[in-house]
Amino acid sequence: MIPFLDMKSVYTELKPELDAAYLRVMESGWFVLGKEVEAFEQEYAAFCGTRHCVGLGNGLEALELTLRAWGIGPGDEVIVPSNTYIATWLAVSAVGATVVPVEPTPTGPNIDPERIEAAITPRTRVLMPVHLYGEPADMDAIGALAERHGLKVIEDVAQAQGAKVRGRRTGSLGTAGAHSFFPTKNIGAFGDGGAVTTDDAGLADRLRGMRNYGSKVKYVNVERGYNSRLDELQAAFLRVKLRKLDEWNDRRRVLAAHYSDRLADVPGLGLPRVPQWAEPVWHLYVVRTKRRAELMEALNSAGIGSLVHYPIPPHLQQAYADQGLMPGAFPLAEALADTVLSLPMGPHVSLESADEIAAAVRSYMVRSGGE
Ligand SMILES: *Cc1c(COP(=O)(O)O)cnc(C)c1O
């Protein structure tokens, strides 16, 4: 069996360090907003190349609280990808603003800068690109658009911690970067966690209050805030994992190159095509085929796990039925939803496993006539 995800081997690899982090926090008797969170914030800001990092409860709230901090609300429009995980849209809806979806590029999963301009109106306030599957969106073009139209940019970095555009890390390429440390992400906690990275001291300061009931001085509440805090245990674990992130991302890169090499001429199979300027971190390795259901079944019979990210685009989810967006509204996102398949990916997938997976993919696609 080759599972799609192996969530246990991280602990096996780092047991002594993680156990030491656990004991350090347990013996300190201090569990919320303390030294570990402060240290992680500094270390993660340094990693991303930003002046500030604010630890938060999860990735959704990192997006949402940033919008709130900027006063985005009803009547405002936020440009989001039509092709994304629904959390991106939910953050915009949570503050009462309007999602304005924009289709991906013809060759990749990410928002197409060339289509953004037509979606900008006098109500547009924020561009919210997502670095889907760990592949950076075209931040140079998006930054230029934002500048020209006076818009803020939040990067959704949930799937792309450590990725780069021309040598600069995601999370430092917009006005703010929203990160998730959900366990399956490239750097994940052992529970929920999130953060915002930014060079904007005012935003960081505001978020520090908002995450803690609107209070920076105990029992003094300057605004009606929230409870969205990264906790000490998760921060301590994340500090251990952060030291491994580049190495783990390198292993993902080697695995992705191996897949692309082994699958290069498989009939009827679309492979990821990464732009020259992007250094992705391969959160997922996603192929495309019209015979997705059958390929999944064939892999499953061979003991190989695979998953679909994502089978239903946000605009066709019941959650957004009130928007009245019908099938055909975003054909590129819909075509991706119908054809994408994620192969096992992670620092602990061996190249031998990748060979076996690639052979099983090839064998099915050749047998099926490659259509
Ligand atoms: C995981 C994810 C989120 C949400 O992060 P949580 O920590 O689970 O709230 C947001 N956007 C994208 C693209 C994600 O993959």
Side-chain angles (χ1 to χ4, degrees), residues 42-326:
Q42 284 179 13
E43 289 158 13
Y44 196 62
F47 175 84
C48 292
T50 57
R51 279 202 272 280
H52 310 281
C53 168
V54 182
L56 299 169
N58 55 65
L60 174 60
E61 288 169 353
L63 292 165
E64 178 186 334
L65 294 191
T66 301
L67 291 172
R68 284 194 195 279
W70 288 339
I72 308 298
D76 295 326
E77 294 177 358
V78 178
I79 291 182
V80 296
S82 57
N83 185 51
T84 183
Y85 180 56
I86 196 168
T88 318
W89 287 40
L90 291 177
V92 177
S93 304
V95 306
T98 303
V99 287
V100 177
V102 168
E103 288 271 68
T105 60
T107 52
N110 287 324
I111 193 164
D112 187 346
E114 289 186 16
R115 293 170 180 258
I116 290 177
E117 193 130 41
I120 294 175
T121 76
R123 290 169 181 268
T124 309
R125 302 279 305 279
V126 178
L127 306 181
M128 200 186 262
V130 179
H131 309 303
L132 206 66
Y133 308 154
E135 177 180 324
D138 186 349
M139 294 305 293
D140 287 349
I142 290 166
L145 278 169
E147 182 123 344
R148 184 136 37 91
H149 293 273
L151 306 172
K152 290 182 154 60
V153 179
I154 309 184
E155 303 170 74
D156 182 338
V157 196
Q159 302 192 1
Q161 299 97 340
K164 291 179 188 167
V165 173
R166 296 185 218 289
R168 290 171 60 213
R169 300 262 194 203
T170 52
S172 73
L173 306 170
T175 325
H179 306 252
S180 164
F181 305 122
F182 186 74
T184 59
K185 311 291 186 185
N186 286 39
I187 173 169
F190 295 86
D192 279 306
V196 167
T197 51
T198 183
D199 283 336
D200 182 339
L203 173 64
D205 191 58
R206 184 83 194 281
L207 289 170
R208 283 181 208 289
M210 288 172 80
R211 72 178 171 184
N212 193 34
Y213 306 109
S215 166
K216 274 170 286 178
V217 175
K218 204 169 175 61
Y219 304 135
V220 178
N221 300 78
V222 297
E223 67 174 312
R224 295 194 288 261
Y226 305 85
N227 176 351
S228 181
R229 300 170 301 210
L230 182 65
D231 68 63
E232 288 285 287
L233 264 177
Q234 299 305 338
F237 295 143
L238 287 167
R239 292 179 70 195
V240 172
K241 290 179 83 175
L242 182 57
R243 296 198 282 272
K244 280 277 177 184
L245 182 54
D246 276 331
E247 181 192 322
W248 282 337
N249 283 341
D250 282 341
R251 284 198 239 161
R252 289 173 181 269
R253 207 166 282 133
V254 169
L255 183 64
H258 200 75
Y259 272 136
S260 291
D261 179 63
R262 294 298 192 271
L263 295 170
D265 51 0
V266 172
L269 195 74
L271 300 184
R273 285 159 63 182
V274 178
Q276 277 294 311
W277 43 262
E279 283 178 56
V281 288
W282 301 102
H283 176 61
L284 296 169
Y285 186 90
V286 179
V287 297
R288 293 187 62 181
T289 167
K290 291 187 186 140
R291 296 193 168 249
R292 179 185 58 208
E294 297 87 340
L295 176 58
M296 254 185 121
E297 185 45 47
L299 291 176
N300 193 41
S301 311
I304 296 164
S306 62
L307 285 177
V308 175
H309 299 92
Y310 298 90
I312 307 173
H315 72 279
L316 298 181
Q317 295 282 0
Q318 196 182 335
Y320 281 97
D322 62 340
Q323 310 262 309
L325 293 163
M326 293 294 144

